[in-house]
Amino acid sequence: MLRVMVLVSGGGTNLQAIIDAVAAGNITNARLVGVLSNNRTVKSLERARNAGIPAVCVSPKDFADRAAFNEALLAKVDEFEPDLIVLAGFLVAIPQAMVHKYSNRIINIHPSLIPSFCGVGYYGLKVHEKALERGVKVTGATVHFVTEGMDEGPIIAQKAVEVCEGDTPEILQRRVMEQAEWILLPKAIDDIANGRICVKEGYVVSC
Ligand code: GRF
């Protein structure tokens, strides 16, 4: 059983998609062992508790500086002994110490087709604002492993989503979630849990 821990910052619709996929048997060989948020008030923690998953908060506000927060974050994650860490809308830069310790064991969902609209400053609604500003006709989502560089790790899966006339960032965000994110992320977890994919020489391959 793969021990999966999910890190969140917001509403947690991706977290819910994972919880539902486990319940429906669409993710097998995996157990959700914990949910961590950097924000005490988010709905994600409620979603986790409703599903009987231990939910904790590690907030930067409770620490003197970033280094102390990073240390506490890693210590809390370690307590759950995860085999896989899933960043499901986690808006905190992952400490390098965590990236190294959990090398090839952290995955992230990004709401664009990487390498478009990604990297520093591209998070949440901003990604969709930039896509609309640029006038792209197709956008999408990407699941990738987390490495040192932001949004630069090996790509696990991508799915394209059409941009429609009259889209607002909010409308586009919702469509990308429904048509791509909520499908890709649970599937990636299931693929990892069942040993269908692995990283070889910096690329994701079937194994
Ligand atoms: C998602 O669009 C995710 O790709 C992005 O932040 C959003 C989080 O949404 N990084 P939710 O908290 O899963 O509802």
Side-chain angles (χ1 to χ4, degrees), residues 4-10 12 15 32-40 42 44-46 48-49 53-60 63 69-80 82 85-92 94-95 98:
V4 179
M5 180 165 192
V6 185
L7 273 49
V8 292
S9 295
L15 167 65
L32 297 174
V33 293
V35 170
L36 181 148
S37 172
N38 58 314
N39 180 351
R40 204 158 268 118
V42 293
S44 306
L45 294 175
E46 200 183 310
R49 291 187 185 117
I53 304 163
V56 294
C57 171
V58 180
S59 167
F63 298 91
F69 166 72
N70 282 348
E71 209 175 294
L73 179 65
L74 181 52
K76 186 53 82 181
V77 166
D78 283 345
E79 277 179 26
F80 287 88
I85 298 168
V86 178
L87 309 182
F90 190 54
L91 302 179
V92 170
I94 299 301
M98 191 186 298

Side-chain angles (χ1 to χ4, degrees), residues 7-199:
L7 273 49
V8 292
S9 295
T13 60
N14 277 288
L15 167 65
Q16 192 65 54
I18 297 167
I19 291 171
D20 294 348
V22 171
N26 294 331
I27 296 176
T28 57
N29 283 327
R31 189 157 76 87
L32 297 174
V33 293
V35 170
L36 181 148
S37 172
N38 58 314
N39 180 351
R40 204 158 268 118
T41 58
V42 293
K43 188 160 169 44
S44 306
L45 294 175
E46 200 183 310
R47 291 182 193 271
R49 291 187 185 117
N50 287 343
I53 304 163
V56 294
C57 171
V58 180
S59 167
K61 291 182 189 149
D62 297 333
F63 298 91
D65 54 32
R66 205 70 193 177
F69 166 72
N70 282 348
E71 209 175 294
L73 179 65
L74 181 52
K76 186 53 82 181
V77 166
D78 283 345
E79 277 179 26
F80 287 88
E81 300 179 352
D83 301 311
L84 180 69
I85 298 168
V86 178
L87 309 182
F90 190 54
L91 302 179
V92 170
I94 299 301
Q96 291 300 318
M98 191 186 298
V99 172
H100 293 142
K101 183 161 187 178
Y102 291 94
S103 170
N104 291 339
R105 287 189 290 156
I106 309 177
I107 65 172
N108 179 50
I109 179 92
H110 184 79
S112 76
L113 294 173
I114 288 176
S116 289
F117 309 112
C118 65
V120 180
Y122 288 89
Y123 60 88
L125 213 51
K126 283 192 198 303
V127 178
H128 304 292
E129 282 168 12
K130 296 285 181 194
L132 290 175
E133 250 172 57
R134 184 63 187 83
V136 293
K137 304 298 183 199
V138 171
T139 184
T142 303
V143 184
H144 63 92
F145 281 103
V146 172
T147 53
E148 281 182 19
M150 187 172 274
D151 298 328
E152 286 176 3
I155 290 173
I156 299 170
Q158 294 187 298
K159 191 164 187 293
V161 174
E162 200 186 340
V163 178
C164 300
E165 253 175 49
D167 272 355
T168 62
E170 290 80 5
I171 290 172
L172 184 57
Q173 179 182 50
R174 182 76 192 182
R175 189 179 311 116
V176 169
M177 285 175 159
E178 284 175 357
Q179 295 185 8
E181 295 185 46
W182 300 342
I183 300 162
L184 289 184
L185 193 54
K187 173 151 189 332
I189 297 169
D190 185 54
D191 283 343
I192 293 168
N194 289 286
R196 285 193 285 270
I197 58 168
C198 47
V199 181

